[in-house]
Structures are given as structure tokens and as C-alpha cells.
Amino acid sequence: MSASDKIENAAEDVAGKAKEATGEATDNEKLEAEGQADQTKASLKKAGENVKDAVSE
């Protein structure tokens, strides 16, 4: 996993957490769900990159 991929995934995770928190604070279920989805997407990307790294070793 390249450093830029790690940074991109971390940024997406942080943005998702911010969306989720904003959704919770404003009682906006749609925004909260979008934040959770963003976090899940970042986690899946990270897992995929880890698999690729493990296979290439």
C-alpha cells in the first residue's frame, strides 16, 4: 500500500466520521448513514490494499 493510498483512505475515514457526527448532532439520519458508508468504504479499500501487499510479498 503506497503512502498516498494510506493518506487517501485515512482522509475518507475521517470525513466519514465527521459526516456521521454532524448527522447525529443535527438528527439527520441520511447524513449519518452517508458517514458510516464512507467509513466502511475506506475500511474495505484498506483491507483490499493489505491483501494486495500480502500477495505481492
Side-chain angles (χ1 to χ4, degrees):
M1 176 182 268
S2 72
S4 64
D5 288 337
K6 287 181 182 179
I7 292 169
E8 189 176 308
N9 291 341
E12 189 169 16
D13 186 50
V14 169
K17 287 179 182 178
K19 270 187 186 179
E20 182 180 7
T22 301
E24 287 178 11
T26 60
D27 203 26
N28 183 335
E29 291 179 5
K30 181 180 177 193
L31 188 60
E32 189 176 342
E34 285 177 13
Q36 291 171 349
D38 289 348
Q39 291 175 67
T40 300
K41 191 164 92 173
S43 294
L44 289 173
K45 284 182 184 179
K46 181 180 177 185
E49 291 294 330
N50 288 340
V51 169
K52 281 198 285 188
D53 289 345
V55 169
S56 67
E57 290 179 359

